[in-house]
């Protein structure tokens, strides 16, 4: 990883500062407006898999935008256990692609012949073709105590 692609993990902040009492008093007061919900539905509905990649490097500001969006995701007890690893070394991406191919072949052997063929026909070469990848990992080193919900259900970090 290039040093210019290393960012400090932001301090978690909670976006909704209202209390349960406030939300109970006016349950529609904190709901997203209809136009925002409609826009969100359009964005989610337009989601697609990417099968072709441009070869030029991804600008740092776009990588930062993706990582910031990931940090804004909800998590149990607002623990944000994820860590993002930028993989832009072609040799490392080639090794990851090989591991993915091995696992795809193992999985294919567990399927019926028609499903096996459909899996093997999938174009999954993005690991090698894309100029970088972002690995999302769960950092389990943070103690469960002190994270609301995780002390009782220790695997909630994985759920997040």
């Amino acid at each position: 990883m290039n040093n210019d692609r290393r960012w400090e993990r932001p301090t978690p902040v909670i976006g909704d500062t209202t209390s349960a009492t406030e939300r109970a008093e006016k349950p529609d007061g904190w709901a997203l407006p209809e136009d925002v919900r409609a826009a969100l539905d359009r964005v989610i509905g337009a989601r697609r898999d990417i099968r072709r990649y441009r070869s030029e490097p991804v600008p740092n500001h776009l990588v930062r935008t993706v990582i910031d969006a990931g940090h804004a995701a909800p998590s149990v007890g607002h623990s944000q256990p994820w860590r993002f690893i930028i993989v832009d070394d072609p040799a490392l991406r080639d090794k990851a692609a090989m591991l993915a191919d091995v696992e795809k072949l193992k999985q294919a052997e567990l399927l019926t012949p028609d499903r096996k063929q459909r899996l093997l026909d999938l174009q999954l070469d993005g690991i090698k073709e894309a100029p970088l990848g972002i690995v999302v990992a769960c950092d389990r080193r943070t103690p469960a105590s002190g994270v609301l919900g995780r002390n009782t259900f220790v695997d909630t970090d994985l759920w997040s």
Side-chain angles (χ1 to χ4, degrees):
M1 177 174 70
N2 298 334
N3 284 336
D4 62 336
R5 294 235 173 163
R6 185 179 193 110
W7 294 283
E8 294 301 316
R9 183 170 178 261
T11 302
V13 294
I14 297 174
D16 181 4
T17 59
T18 62
S19 69
T21 302
E22 290 172 293
R23 292 189 301 275
E25 289 171 358
K26 189 172 182 201
D28 62 342
W30 54 273
L32 291 174
E34 179 57 40
D35 62 326
V36 173
R37 287 196 312 263
L40 184 59
D41 287 344
R42 282 193 308 277
V43 168
I44 292 171
R47 186 216 57 85
R48 65 189 194 282
D49 290 340
I50 304 299
R51 298 287 187 226
R52 285 181 243 132
Y53 303 89
R54 295 163 68 167
S55 60
E56 64 264 16
V58 178
N60 282 346
H61 75 277
L62 292 179
V63 176
R64 179 82 249 177
T65 297
V66 170
I67 291 173
D68 286 347
H71 280 300
S75 61
V76 172
H78 204 63
S79 57
Q80 298 187 325
W82 42 74
R83 301 297 178 264
F84 300 96
I85 303 164
I86 315 273
V87 182
D88 56 3
D89 175 26
L92 187 55
R93 289 197 327 272
D94 285 346
K95 288 178 186 177
M98 184 189 68
L99 291 171
D101 287 343
V102 167
E103 290 306 313
K104 182 169 81 166
L105 291 171
K106 283 182 189 176
Q107 183 178 353
E109 291 306 315
L110 302 172
L111 302 174
T112 61
D114 62 317
R115 294 192 69 199
K116 174 181 179 177
Q117 190 58 52
R118 280 188 282 168
L119 175 66
L120 294 176
D121 286 344
L122 288 176
Q123 193 271 343
L124 301 174
D125 295 327
I127 295 173
K128 290 189 289 189
E129 293 175 3
L132 68 82
I134 300 176
V135 176
V136 183
C138 178
D139 186 352
R140 302 211 75 194
R141 295 173 294 183
T142 303
S145 60
V147 175
L148 180 63
R150 187 162 173 235
N151 198 50
T152 306
F153 301 102
V154 295
D155 286 339
T156 57
D157 57 346
L158 296 173
W159 303 348
S160 292

